[in-house]
């Protein structure tokens, strides 16, 4: 049986761990609120730009003049996975879930004879994929604190991605991130980034109505499509920021509770050991007195 | 007699209100939008947005760094990347 002193040390060490996880949980809760607001604030723009893009795209006939971002390269051989995670761990299964989904999809596509390349955003995405796909990672960027990520930084990545796409490095780009559903639920999600995936439910009600375009449809598209890529990336990183904090909060809450349970168990053991020592001492004294 | 006007940036929904008229710096020249404007979509150049809350009122000006304007039956929506104060 552990000595009293060893138990005492153990209890104190668990207590200080609990203090840390509790503080991390509170920090995550505070950051979560802000990240959630930011995620919600970025939704209107993304929704509206999608609407405008699909309403124009539904009126454009695909020709040689059509921007590649809309029409695609006409091939389906090389896929690029843009995997967005965070730089930091200690957030439960947040990073792992995103990486796992990407890995699963990559294996599916490779099984069909496609080439898969990776563009990782976040240290954890790179670490998680490097083991299996070291030579397929074409670029890794580190976003730092997801909550403080601005549109300017994201635009740089988007421009880089578009340049690679135009240069023919890949045919289809998928974006992987974690969608923030609620504090307890974050859903790893895949989204087609390039060429633009058009959902037909967004087709405008008044398709027949004549809409004036200034300058013309194609020029507007050429302006809008790159913007759309950047906006989707921004939205993904906002969702990621909220998911990360939510996931971290839950993980740290669990850790705090586990530490509490452990402290209770150790305290009981400590008290029993102490009591046993006292009883032994008493028995010794009494038997000593009787012997006289 | 009011035009529903929305100004949206990637960061947030800046404005959503009823106004009288908005003058927009379109890529091919400024244009004013009143209620009942015919549907159109236009790219924007760098310039100033002038918002007239009511007829004859002094306009409120917001600097834009390019973007897209869409006019439909619901009103005017401006998607701007960055706005000045």
């Amino acid at each position: 049986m552990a000595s009293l002193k060893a138990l005492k040390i153990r209890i104190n060490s668990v207590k200080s761990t609990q203090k840390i996880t509790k503080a991390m949980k509170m920090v995550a809760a505070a950051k979560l609120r802000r990240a959630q607001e930011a995620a919600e604030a970025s939704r209107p723009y993304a929704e509206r730009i999608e609407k405008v893009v699909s309403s124009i795209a539904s009126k454009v006939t695909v020709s040689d003049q059509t921007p590649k971002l809309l029409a695609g390269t006409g091939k389906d051989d090389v896929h690029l996975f843009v995997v967005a995670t965070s730089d930091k761990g200690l957030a439960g299964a947040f990073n792992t879930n995103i990486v796992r989904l990407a890995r699963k999809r990559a294996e599916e596509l490779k099984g069909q004879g496609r080439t898969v390349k990776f563009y990782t955003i976040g240290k954890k995405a790179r670490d998680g994929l490097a083991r299996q796909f070291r030579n397929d990672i074409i670029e890794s960027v580190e976003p730092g604190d997801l909550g403080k990520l601005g549109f300017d930084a994201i635009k740089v990545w988007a421009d880089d991605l578009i340049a690679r796409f135009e240069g023919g490095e890949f045919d289809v780009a998928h974006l992987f991130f974690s969608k923030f559903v609620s504090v307890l639920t974050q859903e790893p999600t895949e989204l087609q980034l390039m060429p633009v995936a058009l959902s037909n439910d967004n087709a405008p009600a008044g398709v027949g109505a004549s809409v004036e375009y200034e300058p013309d449809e194609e020029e507007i598209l050429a302006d809008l499509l790159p913007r759309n890529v950047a906006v989707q990336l921004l939205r993904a990183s906002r969702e990621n920021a909220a998911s990360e904090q939510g996931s971290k909060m839950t993980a740290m809450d669990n850790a705090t509770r586990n530490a509490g349970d452990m402290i209770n168990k150790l305290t009981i053991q400590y008290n029993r050991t102490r009591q046993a020592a006292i009883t032994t001492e008493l028995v010794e004294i009494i038997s000593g007195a009787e012997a006289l | 007699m009011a035009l529903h006007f929305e100004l949206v940036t990637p960061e947030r929904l800046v404005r959503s209100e009823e106004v009288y008229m908005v003058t927009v710096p379109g890529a091919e020249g400024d244009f004013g939008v009143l209620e009942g404007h015919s549907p159109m979509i236009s790219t924007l150049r760098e310039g100033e947005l002038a918002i007239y809350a009511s007829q004859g009122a002094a306009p409120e000006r917001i600097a834009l760094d390019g973007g897209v304007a869409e006019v439909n039956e619901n009103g005017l929506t401006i998607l701007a990347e960055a706005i000045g104060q």
Side-chain angles (χ1 to χ4, degrees):
Chain A
M1 175 152 319
S3 76
L4 278 183
K5 192 164 182 214
L7 276 172
K8 192 86 207 167
I9 290 171
R10 198 77 206 279
I11 291 173
N12 281 334
S13 116
V14 178
K15 264 187 190 160
S16 56
T17 308
Q18 190 190 30
K19 264 181 212 152
I20 294 169
T21 56
K22 204 179 212 169
M24 285 179 84
K25 179 193 148 193
M26 291 201 289
V27 171
K31 281 191 180 167
L32 171 68
R33 209 164 36 86
R34 244 181 305 145
Q36 205 177 340
E37 274 163 22
E40 272 156 22
S42 74
R43 276 178 198 158
Y45 191 91
E47 278 163 19
R48 283 181 178 84
I49 200 162
E50 211 180 315
K51 238 188 246 171
V52 176
V53 168
S54 31
S55 85
I56 302 179
S58 65
K59 289 185 185 106
V60 174
T61 43
V62 175
S63 66
D64 297 346
Q65 303 296 310
T66 319
K68 267 191 181 177
L69 278 175
L70 181 67
T73 54
K75 284 182 293 180
D76 181 30
D77 299 332
V78 185
H79 289 247
L80 181 77
F81 282 17
V82 182
V83 185
T85 64
S86 118
D87 273 351
K88 287 183 231 155
L90 287 180
F94 165 71
N95 292 310
T96 333
N97 281 343
I98 300 171
V99 171
R100 191 181 298 147
L101 178 70
R103 203 182 294 147
K104 197 179 122 227
R105 293 281 296 132
E107 274 158 10
E108 272 173 38
L109 283 172
K110 285 197 166 182
Q112 294 166 19
R114 309 276 202 280
T115 312
V116 180
K117 291 178 181 173
F118 293 92
Y119 186 105
T120 61
I121 300 178
K123 276 186 198 157
K124 291 290 165 185
R126 192 194 54 212
D127 297 350
L129 293 165
R131 222 172 303 145
Q132 210 176 336
F133 306 105
R134 179 171 297 276
N135 300 322
D136 299 329
I137 298 178
I138 55 170
E139 177 79 53
S140 298
V141 290
E142 289 171 13
D145 188 349
L146 286 180
K148 295 200 180 96
L149 202 55
F151 190 56
D152 298 335
I154 287 166
K155 206 148 177 295
V156 174
W157 303 337
D159 290 344
D160 181 28
L161 282 171
I162 291 164
R164 286 167 190 270
F165 181 68
E166 304 271 348
E169 275 192 49
F170 54 88
D171 303 315
V172 186
H174 307 261
L175 175 62
F176 290 86
F177 65 101
S178 177
K179 198 171 172 186
F180 182 81
V181 183
S182 74
V183 180
L184 290 173
T185 334
Q186 296 90 30
E187 226 173 80
T189 308
E190 178 189 355
L191 193 108
Q192 184 168 327
L193 193 62
M194 291 183 266
V196 175
L198 295 173
S199 51
N200 287 324
D201 7 318
N202 277 333
V207 183
S210 61
V211 180
E212 255 181 78
Y213 294 100
E214 208 176 288
D216 54 34
E217 289 99 321
E218 253 130 44
E219 270 174 72
I220 297 179
L221 271 183
D223 182 65
L224 267 183
L225 291 170
R227 217 172 278 220
N228 188 42
V229 173
V231 168
Q232 297 301 340
L233 273 181
L234 176 80
R235 191 171 149 213
S237 62
R238 290 279 192 270
E239 298 271 348
N240 256 354
S243 299
E244 184 197 12
Q245 298 306 336
S247 188
K248 182 172 274 181
M249 199 175 112
T250 322
M252 288 304 129
D253 189 40
N254 281 337
T256 310
R257 211 166 304 141
N258 285 345
D261 289 349
M262 203 165 185
I263 289 171
N264 283 343
K265 250 184 242 161
L266 286 172
T267 313
I268 288 173
Q269 204 190 341
Y270 175 81
N271 286 340
R272 286 215 178 115
T273 318
R274 194 175 56 106
Q275 195 61 55
I278 292 169
T279 315
T280 324
E281 250 171 65
L282 277 176
V283 170
E284 273 167 11
I285 291 168
I286 292 166
S287 50
E290 270 172 3
L292 283 177
Chain B
M1 257 302 278
L3 167 77
H4 185 69
F5 164 65
E6 284 186 346
L7 176 59
V8 197
T9 68
E11 314 278 337
R12 66 202 169 97
L13 178 64
V14 184
R15 291 286 175 86
S16 175
E17 60 192 5
E18 307 294 321
V19 296
Y20 170 68
M21 180 173 89
V22 180
T23 322
V24 185
E28 293 184 345
D30 290 10
F31 56 91
V33 181
L34 282 157
E35 194 205 11
H37 194 286
S38 64
M40 73 177 291
I41 293 174
S42 169
T43 53
L44 308 179
R45 60 180 162 75
E46 255 175 64
E48 264 185 351
L49 199 66
I51 305 160
Y52 297 80
S54 59
Q55 192 168 4
E60 181 189 349
R61 294 180 188 281
I62 297 177
L64 291 183
D65 190 14
V68 186
E70 186 198 13
V71 185
N72 59 22
E73 61 276 16
N74 300 323
L76 167 69
T77 308
I78 304 238
L79 302 172
E81 223 150 79
I83 57 163
Q85 287 315 307

